[in-house]
Amino acid sequence: MSSLVPGAEKIDHIGIAVKDLDVAEKTYTQLLGVAPYKRETVTSQQVITSFFKVGESKIELLFPTAPESTIAKFLQTKGEGMHHTAFLVKNIEASLAQLKAQGFRLIHETPILGADQKRIAFVHPKDTAGVLIELCEQL
Ligand code: ZN
């Protein structure tokens, strides 16, 4: 049996779309008992990200930097909430090729530069029970 995400090592992070980054950082600092360890602007995705460590995984808050950002559109249509789940893989090209061969629709056929020193690519949520899946590989 083939796995959903070939080569997945762990859940790297959960991405959460937020309307107010300062408010959301305060909320998650209280919730998790730790402060965010960094903020990072990701130009390619038109977002500011804020990262919290939770054991081996992370929470990634996503705040749009432009009205045409996919996060801005997500907030308009769905409001705040979980945006994606990210799996860490060893070889993102190999994982993408295998998923494509299995019939999964890929939002990115080739990886793009993401936050947190990663190359990333998204798999269409229509093929994954409504959840936007991110694959990420450490640079
Ligand atoms: Zn992410």
Side-chain angles (χ1 to χ4, degrees):
M1 205 172 114
S2 52
S3 61
L4 171 66
V5 181
E9 302 197 294
K10 65 171 186 177
I11 292 176
D12 185 79
H13 63 270
I14 305 282
I16 298 170
V18 303
K19 284 182 178 161
D20 185 319
L21 194 55
D22 291 327
V23 169
E25 278 183 340
K26 244 180 226 163
T27 302
Y28 275 82
T29 297
Q30 288 180 325
L31 181 74
L32 302 170
V34 291
Y37 65 90
K38 71 167 169 181
R39 265 191 191 192
E40 184 181 344
T41 300
V42 185
T43 314
S44 68
Q45 299 291 89
Q46 297 179 302
V47 291
I48 302 171
T49 60
S50 180
F51 283 92
F52 293 80
K53 272 206 167 72
V54 187
E56 291 205 332
S57 301
K58 287 162 263 176
I59 295 290
E60 174 188 44
L61 302 180
L62 299 155
F63 178 76
T65 57
E68 62 274 18
S69 158
T70 54
I71 296 302
K73 287 173 196 154
F74 180 91
L75 287 168
Q76 271 167 23
T77 55
K78 297 187 175 167
E80 288 188 302
M82 202 186 119
H83 179 259
H84 65 268
T85 299
F87 294 97
L88 184 70
V89 297
K90 276 207 173 95
N91 182 335
I92 194 166
E93 275 89 0
S95 297
L96 287 170
Q98 195 174 330
L99 287 175
K100 194 179 178 184
Q102 288 171 313
F104 287 94
R105 280 166 287 184
L106 307 177
I107 293 173
H108 302 105
E109 298 261 335
T110 53
I112 60 169
L113 202 58
D116 208 26
Q117 298 285 303
K118 298 258 194 344
R119 295 197 305 142
I120 66 168
F122 287 97
V123 181
H124 205 289
K126 280 192 176 147
D127 293 335
T128 53
V131 178
L132 179 62
I133 301 288
E134 174 187 327
L135 304 187
C136 58
E137 181 194 294
Q138 194 75 48
L139 276 177

